[in-house]
Structures are given as C-alpha cells and as structure tokens.
Amino acid sequence: MEGPCNKTEEYLQKKFILNDEFLVSLFEEYHKCIGVQANSFYYNTPNIRISPMIGAGLNFQSNYGYDDATGINYTLPNTPMFLVGVRIMEVRKLSERLSLDIQVGFSNSSQKLMAFFENNTRSFTANQEYNLQSINIPITVNYNIFHRKNSAVFIGLGGNYRINKMNTNQAIIDNFEKATGYSFLENVEISSISGGNLSATAKIGSMVKIAGKSVA
C-alpha cells in the first residue's frame, strides 16, 4: 500500500489488535480510498472448537482398608469403563497444542474379596461378595508433544471425581479358635467404599485426522 491512502503510520500510533478482521478492514479501507472495487474472501476461524468423543478402557480404584478383626490390607482390581464427553480445542489466543477433555464414565462390576489371617491362637477366613457401580467424571488438560497437520501424540493431566455405590450380597467371617476347636461365624463387612472421592488422573494417546475428521 503506497501513496496518500496508506494508513500504516496512522494505525501504528493507535492501539489495535492485529488479527484477521483488522487486516481485512485495513485492505478494504485502502481499496475504497483509491477507488478500486474489491471483494473480501477470508476464512473466519471460530474462537473455540468442541468435538464429541467416546472411549473405553480399564478403571483401577484403590480401596485401602484395615479391619481390627482381620488385620489385612486389600485393594480392588481393574474393571471395564466406558466414557462419553467432549474435547475443547483450538481456543483463540492459546496454543494449538492445548486441549481440554470433559468426560463422564460408568463402570459396573461384581467383586469377590477373600482374606485369611492366622496367628498362634486363632485364624480368620473372610469372604465378601458385592456389586460396585461407579460414575467417573475425569477432566484433563492435554498437550500435543508431537504435532503434525494430520496427526498428534498427546499427554493429559487432571483430576477425576468418582461417585460410588456399593451393594453387599454376602459378608462372612469365620473365626476359628485353636485352643477350643470352635468356629464362630459373623456377618461383618471387611470392605467399604466412600460415596465420593477425588483423585489425580493421567493419560497418553494419539489423534489421526482422516478425511476432515479427527480420530483419537
């Protein structure tokens, strides 16, 4: 842009935001000043992009406990979990490598916990069968450590809030006294789970763009 219609110096003395909209308006003003008809063709990038996502995997929930009767520590095994949610990415004024995942997951499993403890005077054999239902709400911030036009490898860090519901079907402790040879049976639960808990979460994954769509 040259001549009296060049407003570059004038704009440099003002406060402005250098973006696509500003550049388009600048060129439109210049062409109007010199009397040349012009049409604008430019891609207006949205401020934010939200994509739906689904997933499946294994859920590990630790449930460390201690019971005076048994004196045994225990944990829960892995269970399948299915997730649905959204990914927020390509946020204006932030790095294209960053994204945010908000998901909701559900897991349902039947567990059987068996425990045994023995000393010089007695022994305990414990058995508990229960059903565990959990709703997980993981939220992670992701960063693309390897970024190309049609592919990316990312890591994510965040937190997961879990809502638990536990139904015990059977809970029996067999207390055997060696001196007398008698066994005493009790209906006592040796495992319990809090109704809700917050934990840290991490993940790693890849994303491949196929025919305009992204698959993670």
Side-chain angles (χ1 to χ4, degrees), residues 40-92:
S40 300
F41 300 94
Y42 69 100
Y43 175 70
N44 187 15
T45 305
N47 293 329
I48 192 173
R49 181 180 173 188
I50 301 178
S51 301
M53 59 186 307
I54 59 175
L58 290 177
N59 174 39
F60 176 79
Q61 175 173 321
S62 297
N63 183 41
Y64 296 97
Y66 184 86
D67 189 90
D68 292 336
T70 61
I72 295 177
N73 293 313
Y74 47 85
T75 60
L76 296 178
N78 295 329
T79 56
M81 182 172 62
F82 301 93
L83 294 162
V84 296
V86 295
R87 168 167 291 185
I88 302 174
M89 54 187 177
E90 297 183 8
V91 181
R92 281 289 187 91

Short mmCIF file of all heavy atoms in Angstrom, two decimals, residues 40-92:
data_model
loop_
_atom_site.label_atom_id
_atom_site.label_comp_id
_atom_site.label_asym_id
_atom_site.label_seq_id
_atom_site.Cartn_x
_atom_site.Cartn_y
_atom_site.Cartn_z
N SER A 40 -14.01 -9.30 -0.50
CA SER A 40 -13.23 -9.95 0.55
C SER A 40 -13.56 -11.43 0.62
O SER A 40 -14.73 -11.82 0.66
CB SER A 40 -13.53 -9.29 1.92
OG SER A 40 -13.19 -7.93 1.89
N PHE A 41 -12.53 -12.23 0.61
CA PHE A 41 -12.67 -13.67 0.76
C PHE A 41 -11.64 -14.12 1.81
O PHE A 41 -10.44 -14.09 1.57
CB PHE A 41 -12.39 -14.40 -0.56
CG PHE A 41 -13.33 -14.01 -1.67
CD1 PHE A 41 -12.96 -13.01 -2.56
CD2 PHE A 41 -14.56 -14.62 -1.82
CE1 PHE A 41 -13.81 -12.64 -3.59
CE2 PHE A 41 -15.41 -14.25 -2.85
CZ PHE A 41 -15.04 -13.26 -3.74
N TYR A 42 -12.11 -14.52 2.96
CA TYR A 42 -11.21 -15.00 4.01
C TYR A 42 -11.98 -15.96 4.91
O TYR A 42 -13.19 -15.91 5.03
CB TYR A 42 -10.62 -13.84 4.81
CG TYR A 42 -11.61 -13.11 5.70
CD1 TYR A 42 -11.69 -13.38 7.06
CD2 TYR A 42 -12.46 -12.13 5.17
CE1 TYR A 42 -12.58 -12.71 7.86
CE2 TYR A 42 -13.36 -11.46 5.97
CZ TYR A 42 -13.43 -11.75 7.31
OH TYR A 42 -14.32 -11.10 8.10
N TYR A 43 -11.23 -16.85 5.54
CA TYR A 43 -11.81 -17.86 6.41
C TYR A 43 -11.86 -17.32 7.83
O TYR A 43 -10.84 -16.96 8.42
CB TYR A 43 -10.96 -19.14 6.36
CG TYR A 43 -11.42 -20.21 7.32
CD1 TYR A 43 -12.62 -20.89 7.11
CD2 TYR A 43 -10.65 -20.55 8.42
CE1 TYR A 43 -13.04 -21.87 7.98
CE2 TYR A 43 -11.07 -21.54 9.30
CZ TYR A 43 -12.25 -22.19 9.07
OH TYR A 43 -12.67 -23.17 9.94
N ASN A 44 -13.05 -17.28 8.37
CA ASN A 44 -13.26 -16.78 9.73
C ASN A 44 -13.15 -17.95 10.71
O ASN A 44 -14.06 -18.76 10.84
CB ASN A 44 -14.63 -16.11 9.83
CG ASN A 44 -14.82 -15.43 11.17
OD1 ASN A 44 -13.86 -15.21 11.90
ND2 ASN A 44 -16.05 -15.10 11.50
N THR A 45 -12.01 -18.07 11.38
CA THR A 45 -11.78 -19.17 12.31
C THR A 45 -12.62 -18.98 13.57
O THR A 45 -12.63 -17.89 14.14
CB THR A 45 -10.30 -19.24 12.69
OG1 THR A 45 -9.52 -19.33 11.49
CG2 THR A 45 -10.03 -20.43 13.57
N PRO A 46 -13.35 -20.01 14.03
CA PRO A 46 -14.13 -19.87 15.26
C PRO A 46 -13.23 -19.68 16.48
O PRO A 46 -12.06 -20.09 16.48
CB PRO A 46 -14.91 -21.19 15.33
CG PRO A 46 -14.10 -22.16 14.53
CD PRO A 46 -13.49 -21.35 13.43
N ASN A 47 -13.78 -19.04 17.52
CA ASN A 47 -13.00 -18.79 18.72
C ASN A 47 -12.70 -20.07 19.49
O ASN A 47 -11.74 -20.12 20.26
CB ASN A 47 -13.74 -17.81 19.63
CG ASN A 47 -13.84 -16.44 19.03
OD1 ASN A 47 -12.95 -16.02 18.29
ND2 ASN A 47 -14.91 -15.73 19.33
N ILE A 48 -13.52 -21.09 19.31
CA ILE A 48 -13.35 -22.33 20.04
C ILE A 48 -13.94 -23.47 19.22
O ILE A 48 -14.86 -23.26 18.43
CB ILE A 48 -14.04 -22.23 21.43
CG1 ILE A 48 -13.62 -23.42 22.30
CG2 ILE A 48 -15.54 -22.18 21.30
CD1 ILE A 48 -14.12 -23.28 23.73
N ARG A 49 -13.39 -24.65 19.40
CA ARG A 49 -13.88 -25.83 18.70
C ARG A 49 -14.17 -26.93 19.70
O ARG A 49 -13.33 -27.25 20.55
CB ARG A 49 -12.84 -26.31 17.68
CG ARG A 49 -13.28 -27.54 16.88
CD ARG A 49 -12.21 -27.95 15.91
NE ARG A 49 -12.50 -29.21 15.25
CZ ARG A 49 -11.66 -29.87 14.47
NH1 ARG A 49 -10.46 -29.35 14.22
NH2 ARG A 49 -11.99 -31.01 13.91
N ILE A 50 -15.37 -27.48 19.64
CA ILE A 50 -15.80 -28.52 20.57
C ILE A 50 -16.15 -29.77 19.76
O ILE A 50 -16.96 -29.71 18.84
CB ILE A 50 -17.01 -28.07 21.41
CG1 ILE A 50 -16.66 -26.82 22.22
CG2 ILE A 50 -17.48 -29.19 22.33
CD1 ILE A 50 -17.80 -26.28 23.04
N SER A 51 -15.53 -30.89 20.12
CA SER A 51 -15.75 -32.14 19.40
C SER A 51 -16.23 -33.22 20.37
O SER A 51 -15.66 -33.36 21.46
CB SER A 51 -14.46 -32.61 18.72
OG SER A 51 -13.99 -31.63 17.81
N PRO A 52 -17.26 -33.99 20.00
CA PRO A 52 -17.68 -35.11 20.86
C PRO A 52 -16.68 -36.23 20.82
O PRO A 52 -15.95 -36.40 19.84
CB PRO A 52 -19.03 -35.52 20.25
CG PRO A 52 -18.93 -35.11 18.81
CD PRO A 52 -18.09 -33.86 18.79
N MET A 53 -16.63 -37.05 21.88
CA MET A 53 -15.70 -38.16 21.94
C MET A 53 -16.27 -39.27 22.81
O MET A 53 -17.04 -39.03 23.73
CB MET A 53 -14.34 -37.70 22.48
CG MET A 53 -14.39 -37.10 23.86
SD MET A 53 -12.81 -36.40 24.40
CE MET A 53 -11.70 -37.76 24.17
N ILE A 54 -15.89 -40.50 22.47
CA ILE A 54 -16.26 -41.67 23.26
C ILE A 54 -15.00 -42.48 23.52
O ILE A 54 -14.01 -42.35 22.79
CB ILE A 54 -17.31 -42.55 22.55
CG1 ILE A 54 -16.78 -43.05 21.20
CG2 ILE A 54 -18.62 -41.80 22.38
CD1 ILE A 54 -17.71 -44.02 20.50
N GLY A 55 -15.02 -43.30 24.56
CA GLY A 55 -13.84 -44.09 24.88
C GLY A 55 -14.19 -45.27 25.76
O GLY A 55 -15.28 -45.38 26.32
N ALA A 56 -13.25 -46.18 25.87
CA ALA A 56 -13.39 -47.36 26.71
C ALA A 56 -12.01 -47.75 27.23
O ALA A 56 -10.99 -47.49 26.58
CB ALA A 56 -14.01 -48.51 25.94
N GLY A 57 -11.98 -48.36 28.41
CA GLY A 57 -10.70 -48.76 28.97
C GLY A 57 -10.90 -49.46 30.29
O GLY A 57 -12.00 -49.90 30.63
N LEU A 58 -9.80 -49.55 31.05
CA LEU A 58 -9.82 -50.19 32.35
C LEU A 58 -9.76 -49.14 33.45
O LEU A 58 -9.02 -48.16 33.35
CB LEU A 58 -8.64 -51.16 32.50
CG LEU A 58 -8.69 -52.43 31.64
CD1 LEU A 58 -7.42 -53.24 31.85
CD2 LEU A 58 -9.92 -53.27 31.98
N ASN A 59 -10.54 -49.36 34.49
CA ASN A 59 -10.62 -48.44 35.61
C ASN A 59 -10.01 -49.12 36.84
O ASN A 59 -10.42 -50.21 37.21
CB ASN A 59 -12.08 -48.07 35.87
CG ASN A 59 -12.24 -47.24 37.11
OD1 ASN A 59 -11.43 -46.37 37.39
ND2 ASN A 59 -13.30 -47.50 37.87
N PHE A 60 -9.00 -48.48 37.43
CA PHE A 60 -8.39 -49.01 38.65
C PHE A 60 -8.75 -48.11 39.81
O PHE A 60 -8.47 -46.92 39.79
CB PHE A 60 -6.87 -49.09 38.52
CG PHE A 60 -6.20 -49.55 39.78
CD1 PHE A 60 -6.18 -50.89 40.11
CD2 PHE A 60 -5.61 -48.65 40.63
CE1 PHE A 60 -5.57 -51.32 41.27
CE2 PHE A 60 -4.99 -49.07 41.79
CZ PHE A 60 -4.98 -50.41 42.11
N GLN A 61 -9.40 -48.68 40.81
CA GLN A 61 -9.79 -47.93 42.01
C GLN A 61 -9.16 -48.59 43.22
O GLN A 61 -9.41 -49.76 43.51
CB GLN A 61 -11.30 -47.91 42.16
CG GLN A 61 -11.76 -47.24 43.45
CD GLN A 61 -13.26 -47.08 43.50
OE1 GLN A 61 -13.89 -46.79 42.51
NE2 GLN A 61 -13.83 -47.30 44.67
N SER A 62 -8.33 -47.85 43.93
CA SER A 62 -7.70 -48.38 45.14
C SER A 62 -8.60 -48.14 46.34
O SER A 62 -9.15 -47.05 46.50
CB SER A 62 -6.34 -47.71 45.37
OG SER A 62 -5.47 -48.02 44.32
N ASN A 63 -8.74 -49.15 47.17
CA ASN A 63 -9.57 -49.05 48.36
C ASN A 63 -8.79 -49.66 49.53
O ASN A 63 -8.98 -50.81 49.89
CB ASN A 63 -10.89 -49.78 48.16
CG ASN A 63 -11.80 -49.62 49.36
OD1 ASN A 63 -11.90 -48.54 49.93
ND2 ASN A 63 -12.46 -50.69 49.74
N TYR A 64 -7.87 -48.90 50.08
CA TYR A 64 -7.04 -49.41 51.14
C TYR A 64 -7.81 -49.37 52.45
O TYR A 64 -8.38 -48.34 52.81
CB TYR A 64 -5.76 -48.58 51.27
CG TYR A 64 -4.88 -48.65 50.05
CD1 TYR A 64 -4.94 -47.65 49.08
CD2 TYR A 64 -4.03 -49.72 49.85
CE1 TYR A 64 -4.15 -47.72 47.95
CE2 TYR A 64 -3.23 -49.80 48.71
CZ TYR A 64 -3.30 -48.79 47.78
OH TYR A 64 -2.52 -48.85 46.66
N GLY A 65 -7.84 -50.50 53.17
CA GLY A 65 -8.59 -50.56 54.41
C GLY A 65 -7.89 -51.41 55.45
O GLY A 65 -7.00 -52.19 55.16
N TYR A 66 -8.32 -51.25 56.69
CA TYR A 66 -7.76 -52.04 57.77
C TYR A 66 -8.88 -52.36 58.74
O TYR A 66 -9.63 -51.47 59.15
CB TYR A 66 -6.65 -51.28 58.48
CG TYR A 66 -5.96 -52.08 59.55
CD1 TYR A 66 -4.89 -52.91 59.24
CD2 TYR A 66 -6.38 -52.01 60.88
CE1 TYR A 66 -4.26 -53.66 60.21
CE2 TYR A 66 -5.75 -52.76 61.85
CZ TYR A 66 -4.69 -53.58 61.53
OH TYR A 66 -4.08 -54.32 62.49
N ASP A 67 -9.02 -53.63 59.07
CA ASP A 67 -10.07 -54.08 59.97
C ASP A 67 -9.42 -54.71 61.19
O ASP A 67 -8.50 -55.52 61.07
CB ASP A 67 -10.99 -55.08 59.27
CG ASP A 67 -12.21 -55.40 60.11
OD1 ASP A 67 -13.22 -54.71 59.99
OD2 ASP A 67 -12.12 -56.36 60.89
N ASP A 68 -9.91 -54.35 62.39
CA ASP A 68 -9.32 -54.88 63.62
C ASP A 68 -9.45 -56.40 63.72
O ASP A 68 -8.60 -57.07 64.31
CB ASP A 68 -9.99 -54.24 64.84
CG ASP A 68 -9.65 -52.76 64.95
OD1 ASP A 68 -8.60 -52.36 64.41
OD2 ASP A 68 -10.43 -52.02 65.57
N ALA A 69 -10.52 -56.94 63.14
CA ALA A 69 -10.75 -58.38 63.26
C ALA A 69 -9.80 -59.18 62.38
O ALA A 69 -9.35 -60.26 62.75
CB ALA A 69 -12.20 -58.70 62.88
N THR A 70 -9.48 -58.65 61.20
CA THR A 70 -8.65 -59.40 60.26
C THR A 70 -7.22 -58.89 60.17
O THR A 70 -6.30 -59.66 59.91
CB THR A 70 -9.27 -59.35 58.85
OG1 THR A 70 -9.33 -57.98 58.43
CG2 THR A 70 -10.67 -59.94 58.84
N GLY A 71 -7.01 -57.58 60.35
CA GLY A 71 -5.67 -57.03 60.24
C GLY A 71 -5.08 -57.18 58.86
O GLY A 71 -3.88 -57.36 58.72
N ILE A 72 -5.90 -57.07 57.80
CA ILE A 72 -5.44 -57.31 56.43
C ILE A 72 -5.70 -56.07 55.58
O ILE A 72 -6.78 -55.50 55.61
CB ILE A 72 -6.14 -58.54 55.82
CG1 ILE A 72 -5.74 -59.81 56.58
CG2 ILE A 72 -5.80 -58.69 54.35
CD1 ILE A 72 -6.42 -61.05 56.10
N ASN A 73 -4.72 -55.68 54.81
CA ASN A 73 -4.90 -54.62 53.82
C ASN A 73 -5.35 -55.22 52.50
O ASN A 73 -4.97 -56.35 52.16
CB ASN A 73 -3.59 -53.85 53.62
CG ASN A 73 -3.22 -53.06 54.86
OD1 ASN A 73 -4.07 -52.38 55.42
ND2 ASN A 73 -1.98 -53.18 55.30
N TYR A 74 -6.09 -54.47 51.69
CA TYR A 74 -6.62 -55.01 50.45
C TYR A 74 -6.86 -53.88 49.45
O TYR A 74 -6.97 -52.71 49.82
CB TYR A 74 -7.94 -55.75 50.70
CG TYR A 74 -8.91 -55.00 51.56
CD1 TYR A 74 -9.79 -54.06 51.04
CD2 TYR A 74 -8.93 -55.21 52.94
CE1 TYR A 74 -10.65 -53.36 51.84
CE2 TYR A 74 -9.80 -54.52 53.75
CZ TYR A 74 -10.66 -53.60 53.21
OH TYR A 74 -11.51 -52.90 54.02
N THR A 75 -6.95 -54.22 48.20
CA THR A 75 -7.26 -53.30 47.12
C THR A 75 -8.25 -53.94 46.18
O THR A 75 -8.44 -55.15 46.17
CB THR A 75 -6.00 -52.89 46.33
OG1 THR A 75 -5.44 -54.07 45.77
CG2 THR A 75 -4.98 -52.21 47.22
N LEU A 76 -8.88 -53.09 45.34
CA LEU A 76 -9.85 -53.58 44.36
C LEU A 76 -9.16 -53.78 43.01
O LEU A 76 -8.24 -53.05 42.67
CB LEU A 76 -11.00 -52.58 44.20
CG LEU A 76 -11.86 -52.37 45.45
CD1 LEU A 76 -12.92 -51.32 45.17
CD2 LEU A 76 -12.51 -53.67 45.88
N PRO A 77 -9.59 -54.73 42.21
CA PRO A 77 -8.97 -54.98 40.90
C PRO A 77 -9.47 -54.01 39.84
O PRO A 77 -10.32 -53.16 40.09
CB PRO A 77 -9.42 -56.42 40.59
CG PRO A 77 -10.74 -56.55 41.28
CD PRO A 77 -10.63 -55.72 42.54
N ASN A 78 -8.94 -54.17 38.61
CA ASN A 78 -9.36 -53.36 37.48
C ASN A 78 -10.76 -53.77 37.00
O ASN A 78 -11.14 -54.94 37.08
CB ASN A 78 -8.39 -53.50 36.31
CG ASN A 78 -7.03 -52.94 36.66
OD1 ASN A 78 -6.92 -52.01 37.44
ND2 ASN A 78 -5.99 -53.51 36.10
N THR A 79 -11.50 -52.81 36.48
CA THR A 79 -12.84 -53.07 35.92
C THR A 79 -12.99 -52.30 34.62
O THR A 79 -12.41 -51.23 34.45
CB THR A 79 -13.95 -52.63 36.90
OG1 THR A 79 -13.77 -51.25 37.23
CG2 THR A 79 -13.91 -53.45 38.18
N PRO A 80 -13.80 -52.79 33.67
CA PRO A 80 -14.04 -52.05 32.41
C PRO A 80 -14.81 -50.76 32.67
O PRO A 80 -15.65 -50.69 33.58
CB PRO A 80 -14.86 -53.04 31.57
CG PRO A 80 -14.74 -54.35 32.25
CD PRO A 80 -14.48 -54.08 33.68
N MET A 81 -14.54 -49.74 31.86
CA MET A 81 -15.25 -48.48 31.98
C MET A 81 -15.46 -47.88 30.59
O MET A 81 -14.59 -47.97 29.73
CB MET A 81 -14.49 -47.48 32.85
CG MET A 81 -15.22 -46.16 33.04
SD MET A 81 -14.44 -45.06 34.26
CE MET A 81 -12.85 -44.77 33.49
N PHE A 82 -16.63 -47.29 30.38
CA PHE A 82 -16.99 -46.66 29.12
C PHE A 82 -17.19 -45.16 29.37
O PHE A 82 -17.78 -44.76 30.37
CB PHE A 82 -18.25 -47.28 28.53
CG PHE A 82 -18.11 -48.76 28.27
CD1 PHE A 82 -18.50 -49.69 29.24
CD2 PHE A 82 -17.57 -49.22 27.09
CE1 PHE A 82 -18.36 -51.05 29.01
CE2 PHE A 82 -17.42 -50.58 26.85
CZ PHE A 82 -17.82 -51.50 27.81
N LEU A 83 -16.69 -44.34 28.43
CA LEU A 83 -16.68 -42.88 28.60
C LEU A 83 -17.33 -42.18 27.41
O LEU A 83 -17.20 -42.61 26.27
CB LEU A 83 -15.25 -42.37 28.75
CG LEU A 83 -14.47 -42.79 29.99
CD1 LEU A 83 -12.99 -42.59 29.77
CD2 LEU A 83 -14.93 -42.01 31.20
N VAL A 84 -18.02 -41.09 27.70
CA VAL A 84 -18.50 -40.16 26.68
C VAL A 84 -18.17 -38.75 27.16
O VAL A 84 -18.08 -38.49 28.36
CB VAL A 84 -20.03 -40.29 26.43
CG1 VAL A 84 -20.37 -41.66 25.86
CG2 VAL A 84 -20.82 -40.04 27.71
N GLY A 85 -17.96 -37.84 26.22
CA GLY A 85 -17.64 -36.47 26.62
C GLY A 85 -17.34 -35.59 25.43
O GLY A 85 -17.70 -35.91 24.29
N VAL A 86 -16.68 -34.48 25.70
CA VAL A 86 -16.34 -33.50 24.66
C VAL A 86 -14.88 -33.10 24.83
O VAL A 86 -14.32 -33.17 25.93
CB VAL A 86 -17.24 -32.25 24.72
CG1 VAL A 86 -18.68 -32.60 24.41
CG2 VAL A 86 -17.14 -31.57 26.08
N ARG A 87 -14.28 -32.70 23.71
CA ARG A 87 -12.93 -32.15 23.71
C ARG A 87 -13.00 -30.70 23.22
O ARG A 87 -13.54 -30.43 22.14
CB ARG A 87 -11.99 -32.95 22.82
CG ARG A 87 -10.65 -32.26 22.57
CD ARG A 87 -9.63 -33.19 21.97
NE ARG A 87 -9.21 -34.21 22.96
CZ ARG A 87 -8.25 -35.09 22.72
NH1 ARG A 87 -7.62 -35.10 21.57
NH2 ARG A 87 -7.93 -35.96 23.65
N ILE A 88 -12.48 -29.78 24.03
CA ILE A 88 -12.43 -28.36 23.69
C ILE A 88 -11.01 -28.05 23.23
O ILE A 88 -10.05 -28.26 23.97
CB ILE A 88 -12.82 -27.50 24.90
CG1 ILE A 88 -14.23 -27.86 25.38
CG2 ILE A 88 -12.74 -26.02 24.55
CD1 ILE A 88 -14.63 -27.16 26.65
N MET A 89 -10.89 -27.56 21.99
CA MET A 89 -9.56 -27.32 21.44
C MET A 89 -9.59 -26.12 20.49
O MET A 89 -10.65 -25.55 20.23
CB MET A 89 -9.05 -28.55 20.71
CG MET A 89 -9.98 -29.08 19.65
SD MET A 89 -9.40 -30.65 18.96
CE MET A 89 -10.74 -31.04 17.83
N GLU A 90 -8.41 -25.76 20.01
CA GLU A 90 -8.24 -24.63 19.10
C GLU A 90 -8.86 -23.36 19.66
O GLU A 90 -9.56 -22.62 18.98
CB GLU A 90 -8.83 -24.95 17.72
CG GLU A 90 -8.13 -26.12 17.03
CD GLU A 90 -8.68 -26.39 15.64
OE1 GLU A 90 -9.49 -25.58 15.17
OE2 GLU A 90 -8.29 -27.40 15.03
N VAL A 91 -8.60 -23.12 20.96
CA VAL A 91 -9.11 -21.92 21.61
C VAL A 91 -8.26 -20.72 21.18
O VAL A 91 -7.03 -20.78 21.20
CB VAL A 91 -9.08 -22.08 23.14
CG1 VAL A 91 -9.63 -20.83 23.82
CG2 VAL A 91 -9.85 -23.31 23.56
N ARG A 92 -8.93 -19.64 20.77
CA ARG A 92 -8.20 -18.44 20.35
C ARG A 92 -7.30 -17.92 21.45
O ARG A 92 -7.62 -17.99 22.63
CB ARG A 92 -9.21 -17.34 19.96
CG ARG A 92 -9.83 -17.50 18.58
CD ARG A 92 -8.79 -17.21 17.49
NE ARG A 92 -9.40 -17.20 16.18
CZ ARG A 92 -9.89 -16.12 15.60
NH1 ARG A 92 -9.85 -14.97 16.24
NH2 ARG A 92 -10.41 -16.18 14.39
#
